[in-house]
Amino acid sequence: RMAVPPSTVPTYLNAVLNNTRKLERFRNQVGLYRWMHQMYYSVQCIYEDRYEIWSFTAAGSLVQSSIKVRRNPELRQLRGFRQFVGLL
């Protein structure tokens, strides 16, 4: 078989994720961030009665803001580890 020259292979990944180990590390970091968000940051938002909202500006950049909304029903639904974290 003939090897394909690197210039003809399309680049789908960021140059930082050029090998399998780096890709796996990135995947693990994303998983850890999602777990932390679900178990801690979202509980913190429930106790502070707010939602984190992501939106685009007219210039096309992404911005984060929060809105205040009563979240008592969600607070009553917290169970287990998420409830424990909220009480810390």
Side-chain angles (χ1 to χ4, degrees):
R1 295 175 82 179
M2 292 179 52
V4 177
S7 61
T8 61
V9 177
T11 305
Y12 296 110
L13 296 175
N14 188 332
V16 175
L17 304 174
N18 61 357
N19 63 28
T20 305
R21 178 66 190 130
K22 288 181 183 178
L23 187 61
E24 288 295 319
R25 184 176 296 148
F26 174 73
R27 186 179 67 102
N28 290 341
Q29 288 173 344
V30 169
L32 178 62
Y33 174 79
R34 291 178 74 189
W35 183 84
M36 284 293 294
H37 179 75
Q38 182 180 11
M39 294 297 173
Y40 179 73
Y41 299 121
S42 65
V43 174
Q44 182 182 12
C45 287
I46 291 172
Y47 274 96
E48 294 175 355
D49 286 335
R50 65 183 168 91
Y51 281 103
E52 295 295 324
I53 306 296
W54 290 90
S55 59
F56 290 101
T57 62
S61 60
L62 190 62
V63 293
Q64 181 181 13
S65 59
S66 61
I67 57 173
K68 300 289 261 178
V69 177
R70 285 278 185 204
R71 297 183 73 176
N72 289 336
E74 293 171 89
L75 186 59
R76 286 191 291 272
Q77 290 177 355
L78 288 179
R79 298 284 183 264
F81 184 73
R82 293 181 75 199
Q83 183 180 24
F84 173 74
V85 167
L87 297 174
L88 288 179

